[in-house]
Amino acid sequence: MTLRRFLALSLLAAPLPASAAAQAAVDAAPAVRTLRAGRAEGMQVDGRLDEPAWSLAGIAGDFVQQRPDPGAPASERTEARVLLDEDALYVGMRMYDSHPDSVRAQLTRRDQPDAASDWARVYVDSYHDRRTAFIFWVNPRGVKVDWLRYNDGGGVDIGWDAVWDAAARVDSLGWTAELRIPLSQLRFSASRTAAGGAWGLNFAREVARRVETSFWAPIPPSSGAFVSLFGELRGLEHVREPRRLEVLPYTSARLARAPGDPADPFHAGNDVAGSVGADVKLGLTSGLTLSATLNPDFGQVEADPAVVNLTAFETFFPERRPFFTEGAEIFRFGQLSAYSRFGSTEFFYSRRIGRTPQGSVEVDDAVFVDAPDHSTILGAAKLSGRTAGGWTVGVLDALTQRETARYLTADRTGGSFPVEPLSNYFVGRVRRDLMDGRLVLGGLATATHRDLRGDAFDGLLRTSAYLSGVDGAYTWGGRAWTLSGLLAASSIRGSDAVVATAQRSSARYYQRPDAEHLRYRPGRTGLSGHTGALALQRSGPWSGSVVYEETSPGFEVNDMGYLSAADRRSVAAYLSRAVNRPSGPLRSYWVAGDAALAWSFGGERVHSVAGMNAEAVFRSLWHLGAHWDYTPGYLDDRLTRGGPLARRPGEWGTEVWGGSDPRRPLSVSGFYQHRGDAAGGHLRRGSLTLSLRPAASVQLRLQPSLRDERDPLQYLATHPDPLAGATFGSRYVLAEVDQTTVSLDTRLDWTFTPTLGLQLFAQPFGAAGEFSEFKELRAPRTLDYAVYGRGAGTIGRLQGGESCAGAYDGAPAAGEACYRVDPDGAGAAGAFTLADPTFALRSFRGNAVVRWEYRPGSTLYFVWQRQRSAEDASGALDPRRDLADLLGRPGESVFLVKATYWLDR
């Protein structure tokens, strides 16, 4: 794609200006709805709403549909009331229903809203910043959900958990819900409420059989705003700042069973361990909370799924540990209001804290090694919340201990070797809301410090790493338009060997021989860079955005964040049209198109793409969608892993997806993707999701998936050779790989009561890759390759022994094979060996968790984890053989019992 064609497409995809009438409608915002809180007396949370105080409270009614008929009155009447006392906020909701026998209720585990159930929702913007809302859900069976919305609804934190109570009842008029939300669980300015300030407030109701959602304060589906459209809760003058001290001590016992070598002195068939610790929350002010965790234990957290990664980039896994997920929205930085295919930087990636040790035992004759699987978090503290002056603050500091691995040599000499240093991680975030939340300015700073005393970490880890940046967003036109941006700088410090490794990393490849804009300097002890972005977005039935982003080659945040690629400039444009009102057989539909272009700081076009999407939701609640995109050929500065530019062929892709009515006891959804390129590569993958609810309390989800991929340009190795003048004195070896991946993700949720349930996850997984057509790049910036044994040089497969020395790290294991390559046959170039990369992996991962919240905020866990794995060099999958092999192979099991007890003062 030429630059002229790209700019033309970008102009077509630019946000369309609103008509005068439409803009006038946006600017003429409806009057803000208000509700006055009554006085709570003699309250008992049982779902009956029979206390006298409820009859004296003001009523929030006249709910308005968001779907299926935006702006129309709700089909069923709903009334909501709010009461307050010194300790808590009480909400009572009466959901009238003309057919009470049709009220739907599923019994699910906490924080898992089900589409087949009716729901009542309460939104509280106690900061009254018009950007942040605490959400409390309850269904007719008393199932609770608590989430947090931030950035005016642009993001949802489902990991936020509060300690609160709720009850619900179905009766002859419909159903009722009663909630008690302790003021200690909210964040607000007591001085502001004492002066007559208000909180943002909204209520919502979902009627499952009609797929209807209605709000007290209307939320148009095409609006780019959410929290800023709330009504107001008044009558808060007597709300006092709560005393907030929460202590959550825990104790756990763990039994691990794993197979091992009987000669290994570090192996224990039964490994028993125990642990104690605590989480503490202290309310410094009504809006600021200090949280700390001492010797945390996350044994109840679900393990990461199995993956196979043949790229040069690290696999990203989401954070699941409660201490780090709670309040994570405060630390999010640089969230652009725009659509872009290239934005992938996480400025704070909390999984760096407590990560797997990065070092290994550097003892040549070590036979047995006992290494920790994670770094121990000695303690972590977090200050978060909002000040009375309107500043949102987040500060986190964590300390991980120095980790060592024990080893035993062949002559039975033992010792220990450090594998992770004592490390400190810090992140600070501030944000200021101005102009009623229409202007938001913020800043972020992170720092990593490591104690690298000794020689074990020389050349491995950086001494320190820093990041600082500012971001902001401004909205206008009734919040229909948003201008957002960010600017950040990074700096790392360490030994010359460490900084040299950073220069050569896959994020930048300073050593590229044909990159005139990059300067690889081995003697450097520091590296710095910057990143920035600017985006313009319009929201509404017609939505669109344009965005420019750049990340300089020296930008590095992987000590505390996640970055896959630097040395990038990109532009992207997006345009979409959404229709959310039923018409004919459709309930809603949307269509969208986008285009993007990326180039390096040297001006090399390293990617471009244009695509289209469409999705329709039918009145039956079946949905169907499709995607198409085209990528012209481009220059890839990562393909040769630090070598010269190589050309990628043009490729195209299509994808279709769809699904049935999710309210039914049996629902199905799935997708299929096909991609192809001009060099014969392809990707075919698909998955199917079957969701079965045999009872109101049981849900079984099966997700089989299959991936078939052929990549004719899979990088293998680089071999220096002064005779390879055309490729700057090295031979860049690639191969064609045919890879197959299959998995069957299985989840069972069996909920006995709203506070007691069983979760089961199991994942049989298999992946195999067969390599062929070994080749080398003949000339940079081309698709010209010399295939060994077919017009260029010779190649032969060898089976183990001394002939494979040099192909593997250390001596080849029994059965390992290699290839001997002579790149020019009888010519002067020397021969070299390649390890045979063909593989077949099989694994089974599973865990079961019984979770019982035996009192509000206090939980008992029973956890069982199981893992089996095997691998060989067959390069193929055989379901019958592989399943039998896995079932017959000894595996690793972990049994854990953990108890927490919530104390509130």
Side-chain angles (χ1 to χ4, degrees):
M1 177 184 291
T2 65
L3 180 60
R4 178 182 296 178
R5 291 178 61 192
F6 176 82
L7 291 175
L9 184 56
S10 299
L11 290 173
L12 289 174
L16 298 181
S19 66
Q23 190 61 50
V26 169
D27 293 335
V32 175
R33 292 192 171 191
T34 62
L35 180 69
R36 191 166 187 85
R39 181 67 179 175
E41 293 182 0
M43 306 304 296
Q44 182 178 356
V45 181
D46 55 10
R48 295 183 185 277
L49 304 184
D50 54 0
E51 291 85 359
W54 288 121
S55 62
L56 301 176
I59 300 175
D62 300 325
F63 280 50
V64 176
Q65 288 189 44
Q66 185 191 57
R67 60 171 185 164
D69 193 3
S75 64
E76 302 286 354
R77 184 159 60 103
T78 303
E79 295 179 349
R81 297 171 170 84
V82 173
L83 302 174
L84 274 167
D85 63 16
E86 291 78 6
D87 300 315
L89 175 78
Y90 296 85
V91 178
M93 296 183 67
R94 156 62 72 179
M95 278 62 66
Y96 292 95
D97 202 302
S98 54
H99 298 281
D101 56 342
S102 298
V103 171
R104 297 190 177 184
Q106 298 292 319
L107 190 58
T108 65
R109 62 187 174 95
R110 181 170 174 168
D111 286 346
Q112 293 295 316
D114 192 285
S117 180
D118 286 19
W119 290 94
R121 287 186 252 158
V122 181
Y123 299 81
V124 182
D125 174 15
S126 53
Y127 288 127
H128 207 207
D129 61 359
R130 297 176 175 83
R131 296 179 59 81
T132 309
F134 304 101
I135 315 173
F136 304 90
W137 308 40
V138 64
N139 81 349
R141 298 290 293 271
V143 176
K144 298 191 302 182
V145 175
D146 46 11
W147 290 358
L148 187 145
R149 296 200 74 153
Y150 57 91
N151 195 23
D152 197 8
V156 178
D157 179 4
I158 64 175
W160 178 75
D161 285 317
V163 180
W164 56 290
D165 198 12
R169 289 180 179 271
V170 179
D171 57 26
S172 60
L173 298 179
W175 66 287
T176 57
E178 191 172 23
L179 296 76
R180 181 185 185 274
I181 305 168
L183 296 178
S184 63
Q185 303 302 298
L186 302 175
R187 304 292 180 264
F188 59 91
S189 169
S191 60
R192 190 175 181 279
T193 58
W199 291 350
L201 180 70
N202 212 346
F203 306 99
R205 177 184 178 181
E206 293 188 14
V207 182
R209 68 181 185 277
R210 294 194 176 102
V211 197
E212 178 184 314
T213 301
S214 57
F215 285 85
W216 171 57
I219 307 289
S222 59
S223 172
F226 191 86
V227 180
S228 57
L229 301 179
F230 284 7
E232 290 185 346
L233 177 66
R234 297 196 171 271
L236 307 173
E237 292 82 2
H238 303 293
V239 172
R240 297 183 304 177
E241 180 176 330
R243 293 179 301 170
R244 293 188 289 118
L245 174 59
E246 302 176 31
V247 181
L248 190 71
Y250 85 86
T251 181
S252 67
R254 181 178 183 270
L255 168 64
R257 297 175 56 86
D261 188 340
D264 185 351
F266 305 125
H267 171 69
N270 295 303
D271 185 10
V272 180
S275 183
V276 294
D279 292 341
V280 181
K281 292 184 181 180
L282 173 63
L284 302 180
T285 69
S286 57
L288 289 176
T289 301
L290 178 64
S291 305
T293 183
L294 304 174
N295 191 32
D297 175 89
F298 304 113
Q300 77 278 14
V301 176
E302 184 176 297
D304 295 321
V307 296
V308 171
N309 185 354
L310 298 182
T311 73
F313 309 111
E314 174 189 10
T315 300
F316 181 89
F317 290 109
E319 178 64 270
R320 294 190 176 96
R321 297 172 296 177
F323 178 81
F324 296 104
T325 58
E326 183 179 6
E329 80 288 344
I330 293 179
F331 297 95
R332 289 187 173 92
F333 173 80
Q335 302 293 300
L336 296 176
S337 296
Y339 173 81
S340 173
R341 293 174 182 256
F342 300 129
S344 60
T345 301
E346 291 284 337
F347 295 92
F348 171 46
Y349 183 38
S350 57
R351 289 191 61 143
R352 301 298 187 201
I353 303 172
R355 68 193 300 172
T356 301
Q358 300 168 79
S360 58
V361 174
E362 301 294 337
V363 177
D364 292 339
D365 57 346
V367 178
F368 299 107
V369 174
D370 179 29
D373 57 6
H374 67 276
S375 302
T376 301
I377 301 175
L378 296 174
K382 177 169 55 179
L383 174 68
S384 61
R386 185 178 174 87
T387 69
W391 288 91
T392 299
V393 177
V395 178
L396 185 149
D397 193 82
L399 182 69
T400 60
Q401 78 174 19
R402 180 182 177 91
E403 299 287 354
T404 60
R406 297 181 297 168
Y407 67 88
L408 187 69
T409 62
D411 61 0
R412 313 305 289 181
T413 300
S416 62
F417 196 91
V419 291
E420 183 74 17
L422 179 74
S423 303
N424 190 83
Y425 301 88
F426 169 85
V427 57
R429 173 76 160 127
V430 294
R431 191 176 67 235
R432 182 76 162 100
D433 297 347
L434 303 166
M435 302 171 63
D436 289 331
R438 290 184 290 114
L439 175 62
V440 181
L441 300 174
L444 177 78
T446 70
T448 305
H449 289 272
R450 300 185 178 94
D451 181 359
L452 302 182
R453 285 176 292 183
D455 299 329
F457 304 109
D458 185 36
L460 178 64
L461 298 174
R462 301 149 192 171
T463 305
S464 59
Y466 304 96
L467 169 77
S468 60
V470 293
D471 64 348
Y474 175 65
T475 63
W476 71 96
R479 300 184 185 265
W481 292 86
T482 303
L483 180 68
S484 57
L486 70 100
L487 182 63
S490 70
S491 175
I492 63 171
R493 292 291 181 269
S495 67
D496 55 356
V498 166
V499 176
T501 299
Q503 294 180 79
R504 297 193 305 268
S505 77
S506 60
R508 53 193 55 83
Y509 289 134
Y510 269 44
Q511 72 273 30
R512 277 180 43 208
D514 58 347
E516 297 181 359
H517 65 291
L518 299 175
R519 294 291 182 270
Y520 174 58
R521 298 202 297 268
R524 300 174 69 171
T525 57
L527 186 67
S528 59
H530 75 273
T531 187
L534 187 65
L536 175 66
Q537 175 177 273
R538 181 184 184 274
S539 302
W542 281 99
S543 298
S545 65
V546 290
V547 57
Y548 170 78
E549 300 172 271
E550 75 171 42
T551 301
S552 73
F555 187 70
E556 175 59 77
V557 295
N558 281 311
D559 294 87
M560 194 72 168
Y562 176 88
L563 171 72
S564 59
D567 190 17
R568 287 289 183 269
R569 290 187 169 111
S570 67
V571 292
Y574 174 81
L575 177 66
S576 70
R577 167 65 171 163
V579 177
N580 295 293
R581 193 175 300 275
S583 175
L586 300 180
R587 289 178 60 92
S588 63
Y589 68 88
W590 67 274
V591 293
D594 75 291
L597 173 66
W599 61 97
S600 72
F601 270 55
E604 305 140 342
R605 182 171 63 84
V606 293
H607 202 65
S608 59
V609 63
M612 297 185 65
N613 298 274
E615 185 176 45
V617 180
F618 298 90
R619 290 183 181 268
S620 63
L621 282 196
W622 284 66
H623 69 279
L624 182 65
H627 166 83
W628 172 88
D629 67 56
Y630 173 67
T631 299
Y634 61 93
L635 296 175
D636 191 339
D637 56 354
R638 301 295 193 265
L639 178 59
T640 57
R641 311 280 174 96
L645 289 166
R647 189 164 187 81
R648 283 281 190 180
E651 64 177 43
W652 52 92
T654 58
E655 184 176 338
V656 293
W657 63 89
S660 65
D661 183 350
R663 302 170 301 169
R664 303 299 180 189
L666 175 62
S667 62
V668 59
S669 63
F671 84 94
Y672 175 75
Q673 180 186 34
H674 178 82
R675 301 194 66 83
D677 64 41
H682 69 253
L683 167 64
R684 295 186 289 258
R685 69 186 183 112
S687 73
L688 194 66
T689 301
L690 300 173
S691 182
L692 176 65
R693 280 188 294 266
S697 60
V698 179
Q699 183 169 17
L700 175 64
R701 183 176 288 110
L702 302 173
Q703 188 176 42
S705 64
L706 173 64
R707 179 187 181 106
D708 171 40
E709 181 177 11
R710 172 177 295 169
D711 184 358
L713 300 176
Q714 174 62 51
Y715 172 84
L716 290 183
T718 299
H719 286 276
D721 187 341
L723 298 180
T727 50
F728 304 96
S730 290
R731 300 187 184 274
Y732 298 94
V733 184
L734 295 90
E736 180 175 292
V737 57
D738 286 280
Q739 183 177 339
T740 302
T741 305
V742 296
S743 67
L744 175 60
D745 291 2
T746 303
R747 293 184 183 274
L748 172 67
D749 288 322
W750 190 351
T751 308
F752 309 111
T753 72
T755 59
L756 175 63
L758 166 67
Q759 298 171 244
L760 176 67
F761 170 74
Q763 187 203 42
F765 175 88
E770 184 173 5
F771 291 74
S772 61
E773 286 208 356
F774 296 85
K775 66 193 83 172
E776 68 177 58
L777 180 66
R778 199 192 303 266
R781 297 174 176 258
T782 70
L783 279 169
D784 187 10
Y785 290 89
V787 180
Y788 299 137
R790 203 174 66 195
T794 61
I795 184 170
R797 192 170 188 272
L798 307 175
Q799 190 68 37
E802 295 182 1
S803 57
C804 287
Y808 295 89
D809 292 333
E816 286 185 324
C818 65
Y819 289 92
R820 184 179 186 277
V821 177
D822 190 332
D824 62 353
F832 56 86
T833 57
L834 291 171
D836 184 0
T838 298
F839 68 90
L841 305 175
R842 301 170 293 280
S843 75
F844 175 85
R845 296 189 179 191
N847 64 277
V849 179
V850 175
R851 182 184 185 276
W852 177 31
E853 189 174 352
Y854 58 92
R855 63 186 299 268
S858 303
T859 310
L860 183 63
Y861 300 94
F862 297 92
V863 182
W864 170 70
Q865 296 178 346
R866 181 70 168 169
Q867 179 172 324
R868 295 175 176 175
S869 62
E871 61 180 292
D872 57 46
S874 63
L877 296 177
D878 183 325
R880 180 178 299 179
R881 177 204 64 188
D882 296 342
L883 182 60
D885 182 44
L886 277 179
L887 293 178
R889 183 179 294 270
E892 302 175 11
S893 292
V894 175
F895 301 92
L896 174 77
V897 179
K898 179 179 178 180
T900 66
Y901 190 85
W902 183 69
L903 300 170
D904 182 24
R905 297 289 300 274

